[in-house]
Amino acid sequence: MLFPGTFLGVWNLLQISGRESVASISPAWLQAHGHAQVFGWVGSFILGIGFYSIPKLRGGEKVSFVQAWACWAMWTMGAAMRWAANVYRWEWRIFLPLSATLELAAFLIFFRAMSQHRPSDKEEKQIEPWIWVIISASTGLLLLLIVNLIGCFYVAFREARPAFPHLFDQRYLALLAWGFLVPFVWGFSAKWMAVFLGLKPLRAKVLIAAVIANLAGLALMVAGKIAVGVWFSLAATLLSIAAIRLFEPSINEPKTRGVHKSFPFFVRLAYAWLIVAASLAIVAVMWDHSGGIWGASRHALTVGFVSVMILCVGQRVLPAFAGMRILWSTRLMFLALFLLTLGCGARVFCEVLAYQGYAAWAWLALPWSAILELTALTTFAVNMMGTFLLQPAHSVREPMVTRIAGAEL
Ligand code: HEM
C-alpha cells in the first residue's frame, strides 16, 4: 500500500519542479496521492496494529479473523478505487462515492470489533489516558471518513473533475492531520514510549490538556479561524511532548535490542518535526502566497512526524507481532530513517524557497528530495519484506504485546 501513493507523490513533485508551479498539476492527482498515503498506507498500518494490539492490551479476547479480513478487504478496495478514480477518471462519478462508502464500512467493522472488547479484570476497568487519546483519534477518523463520503457525493454530482474544491480540501486536510494522524501517534507514544525509551512516567493530565487544546485548534481551523487555530496546534504539540516527557533525561535504559541503536534519537526527531510542522503553519498564515509554506508544514507533519514514527515503531513492533521474528537488518532500518530525514529536510526547506520564489535553485533540489524519500520508504519496505519472508517465526504462549510492552525484546 506504500507504493501507489509514494510513486504518485514523486511524480507530482517532478512535474511541479519541472514546470516550477504547483498550480499546473491536476488537483485530482495531488489528492489521489494524499489519500493513498494517508488511508492506503498509514490507515492500513493503524488498523492492523489496532486489530492486533488493542484487545490484547486491554486484556480482552481475540478479534475474529473474519472481521479483520472483511475490514482489510473493504479498506483496500476503497483506497484502490479512489486512486483509480482520481488518476484514470474511469467511471469516477460512481467509484468516488463507492470507495468512500467502502472505507467508512471497513472502519465501522474495526470500530465495532474494538468496542466489543472489555477489560476482563475489574482493576482494568478504569480507562487509561492513552486510550482516551486513541478514542479521540478514532472519532477523528470516523468524522474524516464521513466528511470524505459527503465530499465524494458532492463531487460526483456537482463537479466537473474528481477533486474536492480547494477550500473544502484545506479544511478536510486539517481534520486529517490534527483530528486523526497526530492524536493516533500521541496515543501509541503515550502507551509505548515510556518503556521503549526508558522515560519518566507519563503526565496524564497534561496529555489530556494536549488533546483538548488540539481539538480546540482543530475546531477553530475548520470554522475558518485558521490564524488562531494554528497557535492552539502548537500549544497542543508542546503539551504532548511535556506529557510524554520525550526530551527529559531517561530513567531507564532504552530498549534497543533487535533494532538500531539510533531508535530513541529518531523517535525524538519525529516530535521535533511536529514542532516544525506546527510552527510552519503559523508562518504560513502570515506569509504564504504560493501554497509552499503550507505544503512544507504538511510534509513536516506527514513525512517528518508520521512516517518517521512509522519507520521507528513499525520496525520495532511488527517483527514481533508477526510471529516473534527478529528484524531482518538494523542497518537498513538506520539507512531508511537517515534517508527519510535527509529527504524530508531537503523537501521542507526547498519547498518554501522554491514555491515562494525566494531561490530559483531550490526547484532543482526538490526532485532529489523526492528521490531520497522514495528510496527511504523502499528501504523500509524491503526490510519488512525481508523480516516476514526470510526470518524464522517463533511461537509464544504469552501475549506478545505484553512481552513487547514489558520490553522483553
Ligand atoms: C516520497 C515522498 C512524498 C512526496 C514526493 C510527496 C509529494 C507531494 C506533493 C508534490 C504534494 C502536492 C502539494 C505540495 O506541493 O506540497 C503532496 C501533497 C500531499 N501529501 Fe505528499 N509526498 C510524499 C509523501 C507523503 C506521505 C508519506 C504522506 C502521508 C503520510 C503524504 C501526504 C500528503 C497529503 C495529505 C497531501 C495533500 C493532498 C491534497 O492536496 O489534498 N505525502 N505530496
Side-chain angles (χ1 to χ4, degrees), residues 17 30 50 69 71 100 119 172 174-175 205 213 271 281 329 344 360 389 404 406:
S17 308
L30 297 181
W69 281 118
C71 171
Y172 167 82
L175 178 60
K205 285 187 184 154
Y271 274 86
S329 164
C344 185
L389 301 177
I404 292 201

Side-chain angles (χ1 to χ4, degrees), residues 74-88:
M74 290 166 101
W75 188 263
T76 307
M77 252 185 332
M81 225 175 243
R82 174 65 169 268
W83 199 86
N86 275 152
V87 173
Y88 299 113

Side-chain angles (χ1 to χ4, degrees), residues 2 5-14 16 22 27 30-35 37-38 41-42 164 169-170 172-173 176 181 291-292 294-296 298-299 301-303 306-307 310 340 347 351 355 366 369-374 377:
L2 182 55
T6 305
F7 274 120
L8 200 52
V10 174
W11 182 255
N12 285 339
L13 193 56
L14 295 182
I16 292 170
V22 68
L30 297 181
Q31 293 175 22
H33 154 73
H35 193 91
Q37 292 292 55
V38 172
W41 179 46
V42 181
F164 290 156
D169 190 46
Q170 294 311 298
Y172 167 82
L173 289 176
L176 175 150
L181 293 176
W294 279 118
R298 190 173 307 126
H299 273 79
L301 193 150
T302 54
V303 180
V306 178
S307 305
I310 291 184
L340 194 62
R347 168 77 189 278
E351 181 158 0
Y355 287 36
L366 274 174
S369 75
I371 304 291
L372 282 171
E373 289 175 340
L374 175 66
L377 295 175

Side-chain angles (χ1 to χ4, degrees), residues 2 66 134 138 161-162 178 191 197 220 275 289 331 343 363 372 380 391:
L2 182 55
V66 178
I134 295 290
S138 306
R161 57 185 182 181
W178 295 97
K191 174 66 196 166
L197 269 55
L220 284 164
I275 299 177
H289 56 75
R331 283 187 191 163
W363 286 115
L372 282 171
F380 163 71
Q391 293 291 76

Side-chain angles (χ1 to χ4, degrees), residues 41-56:
W41 179 46
V42 181
S44 302
F45 178 81
I46 288 174
L47 293 180
I49 296 262
F51 264 123
Y52 183 86
S53 63
I54 291 175
K56 290 189 177 180

